[in-house]
Amino acid sequence: MRRHDLDWLRVIVFALLIFYHVGMFFVPWGWHIKNNVIYDWLTWPMRFLNQWRLPILFVISGMGTYFALNKRNGYQFVGERVKRLLIPLVFGMAVIVPVQVYAERIYNNQFAGNYFDFWPQMAFMGVYPEGNLSWHHLWFLPYLLVFSIVLTPLFLYLKNNPNAGLIGFTRRIIAKPLGLYVFLVPLYFIESLVEPFFPSTHDLFNDWFNFSNFITLFFFGFLLMTVKEPFWQVVQQRRRTYLYCGLVGFTLMIGLRVIWEDSVLIHFIEAGFMVFNFWSWILAIFGYAATYLNKSGKLLSYSNEAVYPFYILHQSVTIAIGLYLYNLEWAFWIKASILVVGTFGISWLLYEFIIRRIALIRPLFGLKSRKINADYKIENPANAK
């Protein structure tokens, strides 16, 4: 049975990603281009989002994989993943991401000229950051593709053996009070023992902390779906407990960073707070979503298909707008509003009037082949008589 709450969460989290990347324009953290005025206060809501936004995306992706494998064999699933992930990645690196690199080179006075002087003459020269070829915000796609291929044999085993020991253990453990916190054990060891030696790079090959952390969360998503309704019943019943745990965990994590300087001991303590914190928020979000969002509708159907093209487009649109705004002496709320409205608006125009309607373009943005009737409403061929 389709989980509409997962569809809603996917849409909501990717929408928050647009707000997050708009925020990156204004905070002290490194990003491709920065506003002429930096706002330290904005780091606090950004930290709150940053703690769980990526982990929950990989958990949701693992849950979606469970549904995908119920309809396909292993070869069909891998083929579908290649089509839906690799094609948009290659297209995005060739067409969408160069806009960001061009804007960054202009911003840093590393290039002078218009965009057509930059692309294709320089857009594919060398690997970023020394060169210009990059996947930038699309790093999520190669990671998800590799995770899907690597874990497919294990997923097929679990799918074909519903009474496997690991599934039985998961059923038993989630029935216990706070039993879902057992999943913190591997996450804690990754955070405490791997993260200090492998800073985040998003280059796939030398990014061992992100790789090990996100593939674990991706697997957890699939595993939790194998126990089916008991998981959703637990997160619904205990959603308030998880919410309180998240509030406590976030407070402890922030307090530790503010009061004590970093050290080996503090790192191991902070790692515990961090994983407890983001896992609590993920469980709380699932619980509230299962309670209030497990319902379909036209808005969800439209948004669920639009979210992938929006993800591919949004950061290039944000940075392109930011290139014209960064040096203006305008207030924060004016610039932020222009960036948010402009990013959503331009992405929607491109999606609604080009991507959604042109059959040859749809696969470049990871969309399935569908027919569009005279009213521009998408029809699913599977439902056709």
Side-chain angles (χ1 to χ4, degrees), residues 168-238:
F169 170 79
T170 305
R171 286 198 189 100
R172 292 192 299 272
I173 203 66
I174 68 171
K176 300 180 182 296
L178 303 181
L180 281 166
Y181 282 98
V182 168
F183 289 88
L184 291 183
V185 175
L187 295 174
Y188 173 75
F189 283 115
I190 293 169
E191 184 69 41
S192 61
L193 300 178
V194 181
E195 189 273 339
F197 303 101
F198 297 97
S200 177
T201 63
H202 294 154
D203 68 358
L204 186 63
F205 301 104
N206 302 296
D207 197 22
W208 286 107
F209 167 67
N210 280 332
F211 190 95
S212 57
N213 192 43
F214 292 145
I215 197 172
T216 302
L217 290 162
F218 182 69
F219 173 71
F220 284 171
F222 185 94
L223 181 62
L224 290 171
M225 285 307 302
T226 63
V227 301
K228 301 177 182 176
E229 276 308 306
F231 167 73
W232 298 105
Q233 291 170 2
V234 166
V235 292
Q236 279 187 271
Q237 292 168 0
R238 300 173 183 163

Side-chain angles (χ1 to χ4, degrees), residues 80 88 238 251 263 318 344 363 370 376:
E80 186 263 352
R238 300 173 183 163
T251 302
S263 66
T318 300
F344 275 103
R370 292 180 179 179
Y376 300 111

